[in-house]
Amino acid sequence: MVLSVFVALILSPALTATLLKAPNADGSHPDGWFDRKFPAASQFIHRGQAAFNRNFDAGVARYRAAVVKVIERKGLFLGIYLLVCLLLVGMFLRLPSGFIPTEDQGVISVQYRLPAGATQNRTVEIQHAVESYFLDQEKDNVRSIFTVAGGGFGPAGQNTGNGFINFVNWDDRPGKENSSDAIAQRASTAFRGLRDAQVFVQTPPAVRGLGMSAGFSMQFQNTSGMSREQFADARDRLLQMANSDGRLTAVRLNDLPDVASLKVDVDTQRMTAFGINPADANTTLSTAWGGRYVNDFIERGRVKRVYVQGDAPFRADPSSLGQWFVRTNTGEMAPFSTFAKIGWTTTPATVSRFQGVPAFEVQGQAAPGVSSGEAMDAISELAGKIEGTGVAWSGVSYQERLSSGQAPFLYAISLLVVFLCLAALYESWSIPLAVLLVIPLGLVGAIFAVTLRGLENDIYLQIGLLTTMGLAAKNSILMIEFAEQEERKGARVIDAALEAARIRLRPILMTSFAFIFGVVPLAISTGAGANSHVAIGTSVIGGMLTATLLAIFYIPLFFVLVRRGFRDGLKSFRQHYDRGREQDDDEVTA
């Protein structure tokens, strides 16, 4: 915008003085280089230009007559304007919310998870099943596959695995059925038939650093101080409700499930009776079963570490614990079985907290046809049914909530800045109001176009709406500027509005349709980053169409109504003020 102002103020006048020639005495344009070099083509162009100007002038006359009818029937058209505003509010509230549309980046990720305690051999079988599906069923779209069993991003263990699938170029995957979202949905459907394994097919987020996959990321918090067992039961109930909800899909816990653990229950009274130091018992158990560093030794000039650990046959079974002894205070050896009991229990693989509160991270995606904002509302609604828990957002979900809360502030501050700048420019409070009244006529087209294409209310729509607000105000300024000049020359308000409408119709149409055609490639784009381009292009095209086709009739109407209203109001105020001063003077004289 700064560059365009620089060009308009400096370069455009210089180019005009250089390229344009003064007209002849009879009013005709002098022949230029093209006219002399290609006389036949020049004559054809001039005839076409003359025919276009005749038709356009006739259209301008009809347009002026239509504006007169609009002003005469101001009550009817103001009612239509109010209906348009109500339609705008209704469509905006019904528009599904989102943050950033999912982009086809030519890659998807696969995360597979088996029950706790599953061996790596079973994980490898699932790994091969995933590879076979993509190499067989999606062989025309897949370029390369990389899978890992027992590691990767997210929670890692021998019962987990991850994979990355790279697709061929976008030009080799024509049609929506070959997009990354469509491939991921087909794969998710196919993997639901796998036994003893959960396979989640995910698309990466549009912005790196905001999570590992698209969808929502919710922190399910323990806000009431429940025990670990109670909180785990609440988590399981939430996952069960979420997986049965049609608005959600691939809802999962971002932690490994609780695993079976061997618990050694020590009887401290027995330990004291045998004269055993608890530290000695802990050292013996950790050294024999876990290993312990003791010292270094030198071999062939290299320093090596020495670790001691119990032999494998004596630590391979839980019952082997009874074969280990601990030295007492008297120097005798006491077996573990005399003061400790063993048993099995379940323990969490990880213990996580969020904002200082115990929490589980729950991830998921919106079902086909459901926006990310609706999915977040759905999982939050389900979590609200479980007492003693709270919800917080992280990653891309936190940014989505943050951006949705900032949108009304952005719209309000934009309108305020436009109003104050115009008030300072024209030294009037009425002209800015006439300009701003046209903005809803542009916004309704943007919302309507986005609704027709099934898009969401995301940050790209916010950019499109802000752009539409500025362009709609620009169209209004182009006409009201001339109307205000005509009024200063002494013309009536309605005559000034009609003359400005006649003079400025051509530049308004030229600039508006030039901008519309300029963003058409965005609205029909495909490939990498296409969804963000489509969102901006669609909203701007829809907004500019209605801001142009409707506003050219409403701008003169608003100018007349606002100027007459302010003038009548100011006149009435002055009459009351003068009458009050006369009364005060009479009282002072008396």
Side-chain angles (χ1 to χ4, degrees), residues 13 99 254 260 272 305 347 481 586:
F99 179 54
N254 198 32
T272 303
R305 290 189 170 189
T347 56
E481 166 72 15
D586 294 341

Side-chain angles (χ1 to χ4, degrees), residues 61-79:
R62 291 192 296 269
Y63 163 68
R64 187 181 184 279
V67 172
V68 173
K69 294 181 179 179
V70 170
I71 296 177
E72 291 176 350
R73 303 176 181 178
K74 53 181 178 296
L76 173 63
F77 285 93
L78 286 177

Side-chain angles (χ1 to χ4, degrees), residues 409-423 436 469:
F409 173 76
L410 291 176
Y411 302 145
I413 198 67
S414 299
L415 294 175
L416 179 62
V417 169
V418 172
F419 181 84
L420 294 178
C421 290
L422 292 177
L436 297 182
M469 292 167 61

